[in-house]
Amino acid sequence: MSLWLSDFIRYLHTWPLLIYAATWVTLLTLTVAVASFSPEVAFIAAISPSSSFSQRCKTKSDGTFIRVPLDLPRDVICVSPHLFTNSYFDLIVPPIFAALIVAASAFVVQAMGLWEHDQTT
């Protein structure tokens, strides 16, 4: 009998604990998904054709400007497009953020003590 099958049979009596662990992992995964995708949904909503931010800036010069929202709902600032360029941080920050979220989720699961009964000495 293979090693993984014997481990599965040994843990068969711990179904409630496995269901509990699967529930927490699912909850943490959904939380990370909502936290990750909510800024993208907000961005898509802001650049949609019906949004006021997708309209042109009303300036006296004939140059092209980009509308950037401020803290208050109707306040915007118009800036030149050359200020929006890709940077080195655009490649580094998202993977680091994702790794931190996954590590924090793992520590939360460990802090809940899901496998505490297996670690007795």
Side-chain angles (χ1 to χ4, degrees):
M1 192 178 331
S2 66
L3 181 63
W4 69 269
L5 187 58
S6 63
D7 287 341
F8 178 74
I9 291 171
R10 186 167 34 121
Y11 288 118
L12 201 56
H13 67 281
T14 62
W15 275 108
L17 186 62
L18 293 175
I19 291 173
Y20 183 71
T23 302
W24 274 107
V25 168
T26 303
L27 182 66
L28 289 171
T29 302
L30 290 174
T31 303
V32 169
V34 168
S36 298
F37 289 119
S38 59
E40 293 180 30
V41 170
F43 176 74
I44 295 298
I47 65 169
S48 68
S50 62
S51 173
S52 64
F53 297 120
S54 64
Q55 299 171 1
R56 294 183 66 128
C57 287
K58 297 174 184 161
T59 59
K60 294 181 181 178
S61 66
D62 56 322
T64 304
F65 289 93
I66 297 174
R67 294 171 64 105
V68 177
L70 297 176
D71 288 337
L72 299 174
R74 301 212 183 257
D75 289 343
V76 295
I77 187 170
C78 295
V79 296
S80 178
H82 78 277
L83 296 175
F84 292 96
T85 60
N86 290 337
S87 70
Y88 178 71
F89 293 111
D90 292 336
L91 297 174
I92 299 299
V93 172
I96 291 174
F97 178 72
L100 288 174
I101 293 296
V102 170
S105 298
F107 285 124
V108 167
V109 169
Q110 183 181 12
M112 299 301 281
L114 296 176
W115 302 106
E116 200 169 79
H117 75 285
D118 287 341
Q119 298 176 357
T120 59
T121 57

